[in-house]
Amino acid sequence: MTMSPQVPDNDRPPPARIIPDRWTWKEIGHLLANLPMVIVGFVYTVLMTAVGVALAVTVIGLPLLALGLHGARLLGKAERGRARAMLGVRIDEPSPMDLSRRDKGFFPWLWSSLKDPVGWRAMLYSFIRLPWGVLTFAVTLVSLVVLWPVLPHTARLLSNVDRSMVRGLLSPSDELERRIAELEADRGVVVDTAAADLRRIERDLHDGAQARLVALAMGLGLAKEKLTDDPDAAARMVDEAHGEVKVALQELRDLARGIHPAVLTDRGLDAALSAIASRCTVPVTVSVDLPARPAEAIEGIAYFTVSELLQNVSKHSAARSASVEVWRAGDRLLLQVVDDGRGGARMDGGTGMAGLAERLGAVDGLFVLDSPVGGPTTVTAELPWRDRGQHKGKKSKGATRA
């Protein structure tokens, strides 16, 4: 999440004092360095803009202006770094240019570069800063030499203006920039979650069903060898193999249920959540009130969220009863799991709550945990509602006691 244009509490320097402290000396250094920095930025901006516009009628004008905007990004990055180091302004870097446009051809790259808002804001920042840089340099130098008593307050006033200019023109403050940063973070969560799920499935197959099927094949081979010499022993081995087949099939069913249960695909959330509740170690009431079935991805996330929460109820809560409610409110799918256990659940308590919150956040969802010591524990989750195309489910409403 990027920093908003307002001044965060951790960006506020301590109050200015008559005797300059560390913060004041940093601000003085920043103000004195303004003059050479704004001269470089102003000359670069005027030169690249003037040459690019003047040569726009030729084949090199617009590409030169595009390169100038890329260079302005670097100037903006340097100014943000200087503000972080000297003024304590904590702002995130804007999203980088989409370099994949180069693979699509020259003109898509040129158009993307020319409409880059980050580069244009950096150019505007460098252009308007020249008179301000001269003013701050002169006032700070004079105060440093002859107006020593008011120097800290003068430096603070001028530095606050600098902070506002950096936040206003060089921070990724628009909604698109914030959204890009959020999506990049969410994409990492989704990729990590998918990789972890694949490793879990591979481990379960290798250690469970695969190993059992290998033992089954070896047992049937031995039974085949004894079929002529010792039919009774061969029959016993076949009986044992039959039992192994049943166990292997059950393991495969459990594994398939962990990937995506058939009851969820065929009958929806009401039936699927009732099936989960029937396997919980405490009585669970399930109530699903939906006008239609949501999109498959949202339905699957809701199912596995409730499944993991009920597993926590069984393992950690010492509850006597629990309830699951699912309903739609506007463009959101809401679910709530409540138990009357001992409470005290935390996001960092090792029960998977943090992982659930990350998964929901990756699809613009919310995860709220309320679990005071002594109970009850209430978990509320929100997911964006997405319709299932043309396939609408029937209204499902009911209560099942497990």
Coordinates of all heavy atoms in Angstrom, one line a residue, residues 38 43 52 57 61 94 103 119 135 158 174 176 200 214 219 229 243 267 269 303 307 317 321 341 360 387 393:
V38 N 18.0 21.6 -8.3 CA 17.0 22.2 -9.2 C 17.6 22.8 -10.5 O 16.9 22.8 -11.5 CB 16.2 23.3 -8.4 CG1 15.5 22.7 -7.2 CG2 17.1 24.5 -8.1
V43 N 17.4 22.5 -16.1 CA 18.1 22.5 -17.4 C 17.7 21.3 -18.2 O 17.5 21.3 -19.4 CB 19.6 22.6 -17.2 CG1 20.3 22.4 -18.5 CG2 20.0 24.0 -16.6
G52 N 12.7 18.1 -27.9 CA 11.7 17.1 -28.4 C 10.5 17.7 -29.1 O 10.1 17.2 -30.2
V57 N 8.3 17.3 -35.6 CA 8.0 17.1 -37.0 C 8.9 16.1 -37.7 O 8.7 15.7 -38.8 CB 8.0 18.5 -37.8 CG1 6.9 19.4 -37.2 CG2 9.3 19.1 -37.7
G61 N 12.0 13.5 -33.0 CA 11.5 14.3 -31.9 C 10.8 13.6 -30.8 O 11.1 13.7 -29.7
P94 N 6.9 4.8 -7.5 CA 5.8 4.5 -8.5 C 6.1 3.2 -9.2 O 7.2 2.7 -9.3 CB 5.8 5.7 -9.4 CG 6.5 6.8 -8.7 CD 7.5 6.1 -7.8
D103 N 8.4 -5.4 -26.7 CA 8.3 -6.7 -27.5 C 7.1 -6.5 -28.5 O 7.0 -7.3 -29.5 CB 8.0 -7.9 -26.6 CG 9.2 -8.1 -25.6 OD1 10.3 -7.7 -26.0 OD2 8.9 -8.6 -24.5
G119 N 6.5 10.2 -15.4 CA 7.5 11.0 -16.0 C 7.1 12.5 -16.2 O 7.9 13.4 -15.9
L135 N 15.2 30.5 -3.8 CA 14.7 31.1 -2.6 C 15.2 30.4 -1.4 O 15.6 31.0 -0.4 CB 13.2 31.2 -2.7 CG 12.5 31.8 -1.4 CD1 12.9 33.2 -1.2 CD2 11.0 31.6 -1.5
L158 N 10.4 26.0 5.6 CA 10.7 25.7 4.2 C 10.7 24.2 3.9 O 10.3 23.8 2.8 CB 12.1 26.3 3.9 CG 12.2 27.8 4.0 CD1 13.6 28.3 3.8 CD2 11.3 28.5 3.1
D174 N -2.1 8.6 -7.0 CA -3.3 8.4 -7.7 C -3.8 6.9 -7.5 O -3.0 6.0 -7.2 CB -3.2 8.7 -9.2 CG -2.2 7.8 -9.9 OD1 -1.0 8.1 -9.7 OD2 -2.6 6.8 -10.5
L176 N -4.8 4.6 -9.5 CA -4.2 3.6 -10.4 C -2.9 3.1 -9.9 O -2.7 1.9 -9.9 CB -4.1 4.2 -11.8 CG -3.4 3.3 -12.9 CD1 -4.3 2.0 -13.0 CD2 -3.3 4.0 -14.2
R200 N 1.9 -29.7 -1.7 CA 1.1 -30.5 -0.8 C 0.5 -31.7 -1.5 O 0.5 -32.8 -1.0 CB 0.0 -29.7 -0.1 CG -0.9 -30.5 0.8 CD -2.0 -29.6 1.3 NE -2.8 -29.0 0.3 CZ -3.8 -29.6 -0.4 NH1 -4.1 -30.9 -0.1 NH2 -4.5 -29.0 -1.3
V214 N 2.0 -49.1 -4.8 CA 3.2 -49.8 -5.1 C 3.3 -51.1 -4.2 O 3.6 -52.2 -4.7 CB 4.5 -49.0 -4.8 CG1 5.8 -49.9 -4.8 CG2 4.6 -47.9 -5.8
G219 N 2.3 -57.0 -3.7 CA 1.5 -58.1 -3.0 C 0.8 -59.0 -4.1 O 0.8 -60.2 -3.9
D229 N 1.4 -73.0 -6.4 CA 2.0 -73.8 -5.4 C 1.2 -73.8 -4.1 O 1.1 -74.8 -3.4 CB 3.4 -73.3 -5.1 CG 4.3 -73.5 -6.3 OD1 4.0 -74.3 -7.2 OD2 5.3 -72.7 -6.4
G243 N -8.1 -55.2 0.7 CA -8.2 -54.2 1.7 C -7.4 -53.0 1.4 O -7.8 -51.9 1.7
R267 N -23.7 -29.5 -6.5 CA -24.8 -29.1 -5.7 C -24.6 -27.7 -5.0 O -25.6 -27.2 -4.4 CB -25.2 -30.1 -4.6 CG -25.5 -31.5 -5.2 CD -25.7 -32.5 -4.2 NE -26.7 -32.1 -3.2 CZ -27.0 -32.8 -2.1 NH1 -26.2 -33.8 -1.8 NH2 -27.9 -32.4 -1.3
L269 N -22.7 -24.5 -2.6 CA -22.2 -24.3 -1.3 C -23.0 -24.9 -0.1 O -22.5 -25.4 0.8 CB -22.0 -22.8 -1.0 CG -20.8 -22.1 -1.5 CD1 -20.9 -20.6 -1.3 CD2 -19.6 -22.6 -0.8
Y303 N -15.6 -22.1 0.1 CA -15.7 -23.5 0.6 C -14.4 -23.8 1.4 O -14.5 -24.3 2.6 CB -15.8 -24.4 -0.5 CG -15.7 -25.9 -0.1 CD1 -16.7 -26.6 0.4 CD2 -14.4 -26.5 -0.3 CE1 -16.6 -27.9 0.8 CE2 -14.3 -27.9 0.1 CZ -15.4 -28.5 0.6 OH -15.2 -29.8 1.0
S307 N -13.9 -24.6 5.4 CA -13.4 -25.9 5.7 C -12.2 -25.7 6.7 O -12.1 -26.4 7.7 CB -12.9 -26.6 4.5 OG -12.2 -27.8 4.8
S317 N -10.5 -25.2 19.5 CA -11.5 -24.3 20.2 C -12.1 -24.9 21.5 O -12.5 -24.1 22.4 CB -12.6 -23.9 19.3 OG -13.4 -25.1 19.0
S321 N -20.5 -26.0 20.3 CA -21.3 -25.9 19.1 C -20.7 -24.8 18.3 O -19.9 -24.0 18.7 CB -22.8 -25.5 19.5 OG -22.8 -24.2 20.1
G341 N -16.2 -21.6 21.8 CA -15.1 -22.2 22.5 C -14.4 -21.2 23.4 O -14.9 -20.2 23.8
L360 N -7.7 -14.4 1.0 CA -8.8 -13.5 0.7 C -8.4 -12.2 0.2 O -9.0 -11.6 -0.7 CB -9.6 -13.4 2.0 CG -10.4 -14.6 2.5 CD1 -11.0 -14.4 3.8 CD2 -11.4 -15.0 1.5
D387 N -20.9 -13.2 -10.8 CA -21.9 -14.1 -11.3 C -21.3 -15.2 -12.1 O -20.2 -15.1 -12.7 CB -22.9 -13.3 -12.2 CG -23.8 -12.4 -11.4 OD1 -24.1 -12.7 -10.3 OD2 -24.1 -11.3 -11.9
G393 N -27.8 -20.6 -10.3 CA -28.3 -21.6 -9.4 C -29.6 -21.2 -8.7 O -30.1 -20.0 -8.8

